[in-house]
Amino acid sequence: MLNFLSYLGRVGLDFISQAGGMALLFLTTLVYTFRPPFRLRLFFKQMEFVGVNSLLVVVLTALFSGMVMAFQGYHALSKFGGESLLGGLVALSLVRELGPVLTSLMVTARAGSAMAAELGSMRVTEQIDALEVMAVNPVHYLVVPRFWAAVIMVPLLTIIADLVGIAGGYLVGVMLLNVDAGIFIRKMQEMVEWLDLSSGIYKAFVFGGLLSIIGCYKGYNASGGAEGVGRATTEAVVIASVSILVGDYILTSLLF
Amino acid sequence: MVKLVDLYKSFGEQTVLNGINLEIPRGKLTFIMGRSGTGKSVLLKHIIGLLKPDRGQILIDGQDVTHLSEKEWQRLRRKFGFLFQEGALFDSMTVAENVAFPLIEHTKLSKKEIQRKVEEKLSQVGLLEARNKYPAELSGGMKKRAALARALALEPEIILFDEPTTGLDPMLQVATMKLIRKTQQQYGLTGVVVTHDVPIALMAADYIAFLNEGRVVAEGTPEEIKKSEHPFVREFLKSAFEGCYPEEGRDVQEKHGD
Ligand SMILES: Nc1ncnc2c1ncn2[C@@H]1O[C@H](COP(=O)(O)OP(=O)(O)OP(=O)(O)O)[C@@H](O)[C@H]1O
Ligand SMILES: [Mg+2]
């Protein structure tokens, strides 16, 4: 029993210290953002990396989610003869929830994990120390471009995911299930408001920041050789995914 | 000038630095020697602030640097060059980009001037043909030389070399040591070299400090070191030459194990 309590205590302390470390890294990143030199080349390289790396998997995920949702939605709506609402249902769930959440999860799996692995291997091979020794701040050099690349690319990818998902829903709803194309579109336009769209984008901003800070933090603090890098990468993906889902709940309850 | 006063450092249970006192003379080449695992790399990382001592002081040009902020360190570190034992080359960059890195970061040189300087440094270490290779494509010795070129690129005031010659063939060892010596004399910089290579140290050093069990057990010019009565130093020197005099060396080897 005592063992269990001390275990709980350790886990709790560990959680607090990690959360604190991440918050500190976030603040440091914000401060260094405004300190010259501005490394635009690194920033664009990271944008390309985050965007290109994740685009295909985001498109695929969104497409099939939209298609599945059209099936499921049709099934549910047809119980009370509401098939005409299908367009609105698909579009609403995508722009408000699934777009930002699925995109962020996919970017976490592709780019967040890569950030942890890359920084982790730089840490264990002393490349981060080498930056410090050469009087280059590692947070400024490594974390700032990755953070902003994710903060900007995740919302952009989310918009793409929304569009592709809606197209998938249209495909299934209109082509397969014979919902009238005009009604599908009109209901969608009626039901989706600007606020729905913007709230999804806000979420994407936050998730992009979360996943990059968590990935960078885990990599930056990796230790223990190749095994340590592997551990850091796994933990980054797990923690970021859970944080995105928890964050989604909190944001949803705040925004509406 | 660098001065270490009563430096202590432990990792968990293990005490690595156990009261180090050492004065590193300005404009000279000082060698730090000792057995593998005694804490030579740890000591070097203290001098450049990558590790912080548990107790004691590090004075650089009379200034206590043990409690400097990260920002102050960043300014101070522009004076330094550091060669990591494992090279620590950026593996996302080619050899030439690695050497150019400190020049791009800290000088206002034009692209052309940087390229000229990079090629000069790379030809000094004999790596000009490998300039477009990535670190993963280099041999161990080539990595070391690329890292050396990077450490020398800015011609800093103080350079710390962690085993610059280990893992090189005998001809390259001598050539590398000569390069370090020449650069040091040319710019009058202060150099600290960590090595276990006795002949190289006796050949190139102005000053030698022996580290054992977390302390400096002997220090002096190479001549003084050769005459040292300290049992550890005698044994260390004797093992180093056992290859040349096998009969003399054998009993040392048996006692020592590794
Ligand atoms: N970050 C660290 N955490 C824990 N222990 C460490 C750390 N760095 C070094 N040590 C320990 O400190 C001791 C000294 O290590 P150091 O790397 O300074 O040896 P060294 O004298 O440079 O040896 P070598 O000649 O083999 O390079 C070793 O026993 C090592 O295990
Ligand atoms: Mg060492």
Side-chain angles (χ1 to χ4, degrees), chain A residues 115-194:
Chain A
M115 289 176 193
E118 202 179 344
L119 266 59
S121 82
M122 289 186 76
R123 165 62 73 195
V124 302
T125 55
E126 297 185 312
Q127 292 175 55
I128 292 184
D129 289 337
L131 280 174
E132 281 194 49
V133 160
M134 288 189 265
V136 174
N137 186 294
V139 174
H140 189 271
Y141 189 84
L142 297 170
V143 183
V144 170
R146 282 173 173 75
F147 173 78
W148 286 107
V151 165
I152 290 175
M153 284 320 277
V154 173
L156 287 180
L157 287 167
T158 299
I159 294 174
I160 295 175
D162 290 348
L163 294 175
V164 171
I166 290 169
Y170 182 91
L171 221 62
V172 169
V174 175
M175 310 272 173
L176 276 176
L177 303 171
N178 296 321
V179 176
D180 183 78
I183 293 182
F184 187 96
I185 304 272
R186 186 148 44 79
K187 280 292 165 199
M188 194 169 83
Q189 285 167 340
E190 273 175 28
M191 286 169 69
V192 181
E193 289 169 38
W194 177 242

Side-chain angles (χ1 to χ4, degrees), chain B residues 36-37 39-42 85-86 162-163 194 196:
Chain B
S36 193
K40 303 184 296 296
S41 300
V42 168
Q85 188 167 0
E86 313 289 345
D162 199 345
E163 312 209 359
V194 161
H196 356 79

Side-chain angles (χ1 to χ4, degrees), chain A residues 55-245:
Chain A
L55 183 61
L56 181 66
V57 48
V58 165
V59 165
L60 282 176
T61 318
L63 182 68
F64 283 96
S65 305
M67 285 161 66
V68 166
M69 221 160 26
F71 269 123
Q72 298 283 23
Y74 186 84
H75 175 75
L77 292 171
S78 64
K79 292 197 169 171
F80 54 90
E83 294 94 334
S84 62
L85 296 175
L86 187 63
L89 177 78
V90 169
L92 260 189
S93 4
L94 270 167
V95 294
R96 289 177 63 118
E97 270 315 315
L98 289 173
V101 171
L102 288 178
T103 303
S104 310
L105 289 178
M106 289 303 134
V107 175
T108 299
R110 294 292 269 142
S113 63
M115 289 176 193
E118 202 179 344
L119 266 59
S121 82
M122 289 186 76
R123 165 62 73 195
V124 302
T125 55
E126 297 185 312
Q127 292 175 55
I128 292 184
D129 289 337
L131 280 174
E132 281 194 49
V133 160
M134 288 189 265
V136 174
N137 186 294
V139 174
H140 189 271
Y141 189 84
L142 297 170
V143 183
V144 170
R146 282 173 173 75
F147 173 78
W148 286 107
V151 165
I152 290 175
M153 284 320 277
V154 173
L156 287 180
L157 287 167
T158 299
I159 294 174
I160 295 175
D162 290 348
L163 294 175
V164 171
I166 290 169
Y170 182 91
L171 221 62
V172 169
V174 175
M175 310 272 173
L176 276 176
L177 303 171
N178 296 321
V179 176
D180 183 78
I183 293 182
F184 187 96
I185 304 272
R186 186 148 44 79
K187 280 292 165 199
M188 194 169 83
Q189 285 167 340
E190 273 175 28
M191 286 169 69
V192 181
E193 289 169 38
W194 177 242
L195 184 69
D196 299 314
L197 215 90
S198 61
S199 75
I201 305 296
Y202 289 146
K203 283 181 179 176
F205 273 114
V206 176
F207 298 160
L210 265 180
L211 74 91
S212 58
I213 286 293
I214 292 171
C216 289
Y217 175 84
K218 279 291 168 187
Y220 197 82
N221 293 292
S223 64
E227 198 193 330
V229 177
R231 202 177 330 116
T233 310
T234 319
E235 282 177 11
V237 172
V238 171
I239 297 176
S241 307
V242 173
S243 307
I244 285 169
L245 295 172

